[in-house]
């Protein structure tokens, strides 16, 4: 039986089964051929270089990988990694979709068994660490395309992926989302707090481009935890504010967002930082307005405007002053969601190129 057909037969049978190990995989048959034997037959045909890459691909956290990611695992050049990946594709051990490569779940299980049997543990961990380091470094460069003070990568950056435009950066960040998120989790678990905070900060503006990804609350909550571990109340306040935004806009968790903004305010007060205090009040006001408590929202908006003005943040001040007018208008209209004709929206031009937090023209819509 050909390997792709064997995979389809076994894959269909396993569609509702989870938790399988290589030992149990040995019991599966496809026709008159034991499935592990079919894998062995193809695996033994590989060149040593391709066999090693096949084993190392089991370390990839996400469902697929690029040639650039594969090159990080093996230390090959990009072109050599592409040739090796194509060898795996031709052997039937690897699937491909445009420029992404994917191991079938059963083959991933088999590759992991070969990794444990043939690869020294230290080399496996070094390969995983190299991939994670590259993912996070590239994420920072790609994310900064969307930061007003950064944009295009510096002339000294020598990457293996094309980040020459903001669109290319967006495509890379989305294609590698599962992989760089896993790398971020690994960095947090290892206590690399500074890296986690740097990555989350670089992604702050990009998050507006991919609001409904589903993981921004985790990203910013993790960064807030790491900032706290670093003992930096200003960083903690900043990422608590980002988390409040994510909870509100990405998940609609109004009360959790309100609690997070209150924590951000406390941290910002410890840091004696007016801008982050202003943002904590701003996010509180946004949430309270959506909950229909316009009187409380007006208070927080006024506090926000006062703090932004004290910090010399003109754009933040204008945004908060507009929000005061909007909440007053909403309150008079007696509705949580007034129509466009009831109250004017904030103009998009009020988004600041110098503010450290996002300014949303839909904040009180």
């Amino acid at each position: 039986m050909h390997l792709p057909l064997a995979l389809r037969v076994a894959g269909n049978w396993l569609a509702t089964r989870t938790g399988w190990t290589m030992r149990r995989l040995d019991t599966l048959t496809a026709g008159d051929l034991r499935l592990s034997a079919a894998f062995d037959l193809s695996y033994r045909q590989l060149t040593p270089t391709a066999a090693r890459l096949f084993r190392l691909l089991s370390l990839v956290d996400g469902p697929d990988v690029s040639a650039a990611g594969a090159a990080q695992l093996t230390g090959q050049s990009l072109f050599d990694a592409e040739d090796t990946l194509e060898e795996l594709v031709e052997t039937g051990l690897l699937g491909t979709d445009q420029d992404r490569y994917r191991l079938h779940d059963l083959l991933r299980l088999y590759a992991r068994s070969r990794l444990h049997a043939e690869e020294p543990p230290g080399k496996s961990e070094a390969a995983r660490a190299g991939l994670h380091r590259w993912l996070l470094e590239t994420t920072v460069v790609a994310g900064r395309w969307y930061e007003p003070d950064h944009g295009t990568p510096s002339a000294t950056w020598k990457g293996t992926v094309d980040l020459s435009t903001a669109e290319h950066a967006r495509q890379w960040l989305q294609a590698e989302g599962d992989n760089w998120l896993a790398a971020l989790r690994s960095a947090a678990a290892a206590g690399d707090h500074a890296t986690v905070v740097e990555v989350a900060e670089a992604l702050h503006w990009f998050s507006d481009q991919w609001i409904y990804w589903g993981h921004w609350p985790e990203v910013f909550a993790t960064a807030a935890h790491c900032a706290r571990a670093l003992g930096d109340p200003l960083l903690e306040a900043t990422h608590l504010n980002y988390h409040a935004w994510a909870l509100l806009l990405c998940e609609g968790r109004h009360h959790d967002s309100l609690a997070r903004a209150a924590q951000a305010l406390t941290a910002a007060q410890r840091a004696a930082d007016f801008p982050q205090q202003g943002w904590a009040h701003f996010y509180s006001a946004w949430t309270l307005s959506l909950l229909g408590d316009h009187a409380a929202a007006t208070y927080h908006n006024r506090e926000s405007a006062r703090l932004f003005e004290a910090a010399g943040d003109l754009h933040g001040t204008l945004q908060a002053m507009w929000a005061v007018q909007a909440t007053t208008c909403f309150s008079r209209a007696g509705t949580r969601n007034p129509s466009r004709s009831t109250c004017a929206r904030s103009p998009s031009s009020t988004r600041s190129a110098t503010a450290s937090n996002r300014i949303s023209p839909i904040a009180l819509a």
Side-chain angles (χ1 to χ4, degrees):
M1 178 178 288
H2 293 297
L3 182 58
L5 179 57
L7 279 173
R8 286 198 298 273
V9 172
N12 289 338
W13 193 84
L14 286 173
T16 59
R17 293 164 174 81
T18 59
W20 276 71
T21 64
M22 188 58 203
R23 184 176 179 181
R24 297 188 72 184
L25 183 60
D26 284 338
T27 68
L28 284 177
T29 60
D32 59 355
L33 182 65
R34 190 178 297 273
L35 193 59
S36 60
F39 293 169
D40 276 328
L41 186 62
S42 294
Y43 178 69
R44 300 305 171 189
Q45 295 174 10
L46 297 173
T47 62
T49 300
R52 182 166 189 264
L53 176 56
F54 175 72
R55 296 191 296 270
L56 292 175
L57 286 174
S58 68
L59 297 173
V60 175
D61 300 284
D64 55 22
V65 69
S66 66
Q72 297 302 315
L73 284 170
T74 61
Q76 294 175 284
S77 70
L78 179 59
F79 294 117
D80 287 344
E82 288 174 340
D83 289 342
T84 307
L85 288 165
E86 288 306 315
E87 180 181 343
L88 293 173
V89 172
E90 291 170 3
T91 313
L93 290 170
L94 194 63
T96 181
D97 181 11
Q98 298 182 8
D99 60 349
R100 308 292 298 179
Y101 298 86
R102 178 189 296 260
L103 278 176
H104 186 282
D105 289 345
L106 294 175
L107 282 167
R108 183 186 294 268
L109 189 62
Y110 175 77
R112 189 173 296 124
S113 76
R114 301 320 311 155
L115 182 77
H116 292 160
E118 301 180 40
E119 202 78 19
K123 289 189 176 181
S124 297
E125 287 308 309
R128 187 198 297 271
L131 175 62
H132 283 180
R133 183 169 54 254
W134 171 78
L135 283 164
L136 295 181
E137 288 173 355
T138 309
T139 296
V140 169
V141 176
R144 283 178 175 165
W145 252 112
Y146 294 87
E147 287 193 56
D149 294 334
H150 287 276
T152 181
S154 68
T156 59
W157 185 72
K158 299 185 183 299
T160 54
V161 295
D162 181 5
L163 299 180
S164 59
T165 68
E167 177 60 18
H168 288 159
R170 181 192 62 79
Q171 291 173 359
W172 186 88
L173 287 166
Q174 292 182 341
E176 296 287 357
D178 289 337
N179 290 324
W180 64 251
L181 178 61
L184 189 75
R185 290 167 176 161
S186 180
D192 191 357
H193 304 307
T195 294
V196 172
V197 171
E198 180 185 20
V199 172
E201 181 61 39
L203 291 167
H204 152 56
W205 284 86
F206 171 73
S207 61
D208 281 331
Q209 309 296 316
W210 200 18
I211 290 175
Y212 300 111
W213 174 42
H215 296 288
W216 294 122
E218 178 187 353
V219 168
F220 295 127
T222 302
H225 172 80
C226 288
R228 188 179 311 115
L230 290 170
D232 189 322
L234 177 55
L235 282 178
E236 182 183 354
T238 300
H239 289 277
L240 284 169
N241 273 325
Y242 294 167
H243 191 207
W245 169 88
L247 288 169
L248 179 61
L249 191 58
C250 302
E251 295 188 346
R253 293 164 55 184
H254 299 74
H255 295 288
D256 289 339
S257 176
L258 198 59
R260 212 58 166 163
Q263 292 172 0
L265 178 60
T266 299
Q269 288 170 339
R270 291 202 314 272
D273 186 82
F274 287 169
Q276 289 305 322
Q277 291 179 49
W279 283 113
H281 280 292
F282 185 87
Y283 291 135
S284 295
W286 181 354
T287 303
L288 288 164
S289 180
L290 291 173
L291 290 172
D293 191 345
H294 300 299
T298 298
Y299 163 76
H300 283 285
N301 275 324
R302 285 176 175 160
E303 284 297 289
S304 178
R306 179 182 65 81
L307 289 159
F308 283 137
E309 184 176 12
D313 186 338
L314 175 62
H315 292 285
T317 302
L318 291 174
Q319 181 79 358
M321 289 176 64
W322 172 85
V324 169
Q325 294 177 345
T327 50
T328 300
C329 185
F330 292 178
S331 180
R332 289 173 181 172
T335 178
R336 294 187 183 184
N337 299 294
S339 66
R340 286 174 180 253
S341 61
T342 307
C343 296
R345 284 177 175 264
S346 166
S348 59
S349 60
T350 61
R351 180 166 186 144
S352 172
T354 59
S356 61
N357 283 58
R358 71 194 85 243
I359 301 179
S360 173
I362 62 168
L364 296 172

